[in-house]
Amino acid sequence: QRTWFLKRSLLCQHSNFFRAACYGQWEEGNENRIILADEDPRVFADFVDFMQSNIYSLNTLIEGFNMVPSHAKAWVLGDKLGALSFRTAALHKLHQYFIPYSLDPYISAFSSPIRPIDIAYICTHTAPLYSPFNHPSSSALRSLFFDAVSSHWARIDILNIDEAMDICGEELSWRDVYTAYGDFKDHLVDSLKVPDAWRNVCLRDVEVYLGLGVKKEEAEEDKVV
């Protein structure tokens, strides 16, 4: 557990959630205390640094730091808090990180930085792509990861999903997530129509994902006055 003492103005400037908590009819606003019981304090510490500096830079010195899940967790936190700028920065970083792998002609399920546990995390914290109740922001991170996997894998990886395992061994296999999340399976199967030489086109321009993640009214609310 960690405790921060932060100005209301700073919190409200960067987060719709905190703005509602501080100035709405919330008990937390009256007590001047907000408890985020389910959030990782290490991820929230990165958000605090972002609010104070307007620079998105994760703490890479923490034990067990891993680029992909760390930026994904930052995006999820930003989405929960209605922190559009923080969420956008996290998505940019992920997209930039995935591009070189998608352009590598020798990339495969074995060498991609995206692991089964990453897909499980994304699918746990966002709504299915084809859900009628899906919020646009959920589609952004989910679509980015699904497209990145498609761009990193050769078609033979999809056809031989049982062999697409991490050589180091993991709690989850690709077969596990392929079976558990129908929209992930459908996305990979649909990408089979793209030849191996053109797999990089599966990863679209970052603006496409940013467009999925922002509603007009939300963007207006998150502008700094």
Side-chain angles (χ1 to χ4, degrees):
Q1 294 182 352
R2 289 188 61 182
T3 301
W4 285 268
F5 297 90
L6 302 166
K7 293 182 178 180
R8 281 185 178 226
S9 58
L10 183 68
L11 291 170
C12 296
Q13 175 182 335
H14 290 277
S15 165
N16 292 334
F17 170 83
F18 285 123
R19 188 180 306 145
C22 290
Y23 295 109
Q25 301 300 314
W26 290 27
E27 182 178 344
E28 289 85 351
N30 295 326
E31 294 182 352
N32 288 322
R33 182 179 67 172
I34 299 175
I35 298 175
L36 302 175
D38 298 326
E39 305 305 332
D40 187 333
R42 295 170 297 182
V43 182
F44 189 77
D46 289 326
F47 178 57
V48 172
D49 290 342
F50 175 79
M51 288 191 293
Q52 295 174 334
S53 67
N54 281 318
I55 298 174
Y56 179 85
S57 179
L58 303 188
N59 180 8
T60 62
L61 300 180
I62 61 174
E63 184 178 357
F65 177 84
N66 186 305
M67 185 74 71
V68 173
S70 295
H71 286 304
K73 289 177 181 179
W75 187 97
V76 169
L77 177 66
D79 194 50
K80 288 182 179 179
L81 298 182
L84 178 60
S85 297
F86 187 67
R87 191 179 69 193
T88 297
L91 191 125
H92 263 290
K93 286 293 185 180
L94 283 166
H95 189 269
Q96 291 172 0
Y97 187 66
F98 293 152
I99 286 177
Y101 290 95
S102 69
L103 296 175
D104 182 351
Y106 302 106
I107 191 71
S108 69
F110 291 98
S111 51
S112 171
I114 303 174
R115 308 313 310 153
I117 195 170
D118 298 323
I119 296 298
Y121 175 81
I122 298 304
C123 290
T124 300
H125 290 84
T126 62
L129 294 183
Y130 313 124
S131 167
F133 305 105
N134 189 13
H135 186 281
S137 67
S138 294
S139 299
L141 190 68
R142 204 170 179 114
S143 293
L144 173 62
F145 267 82
F146 287 9
D147 286 349
V149 170
S150 298
S151 71
H152 294 174
W153 286 28
R155 289 184 294 177
I156 192 66
D157 292 325
I158 302 171
L159 295 172
N160 296 290
I161 190 74
D162 289 321
E163 297 179 14
M165 300 176 183
D166 186 358
I167 58 175
C168 297
E170 294 181 343
E171 294 181 6
L172 285 176
S173 70
W174 280 115
R175 169 60 69 178
D176 292 332
V177 294
Y178 186 81
T179 303
Y181 306 106
D183 57 337
F184 177 64
K185 175 182 178 180
D186 292 344
H187 203 87
L188 286 183
V189 171
D190 188 56
S191 75
L192 285 171
K193 62 188 178 185
V194 181
D196 284 344
W198 297 348
R199 299 293 291 176
N200 64 292
V201 302
C202 293
L203 184 62
R204 295 169 287 177
D205 188 89
V206 68
E207 296 299 329
V208 173
Y209 305 106
L210 293 176
L212 291 172
V214 182
K215 293 192 298 183
K216 182 178 180 181
E217 59 271 22
E218 182 180 18
E220 291 297 324
E221 288 179 2
D222 209 58
K223 285 183 179 178
V224 176
V225 178

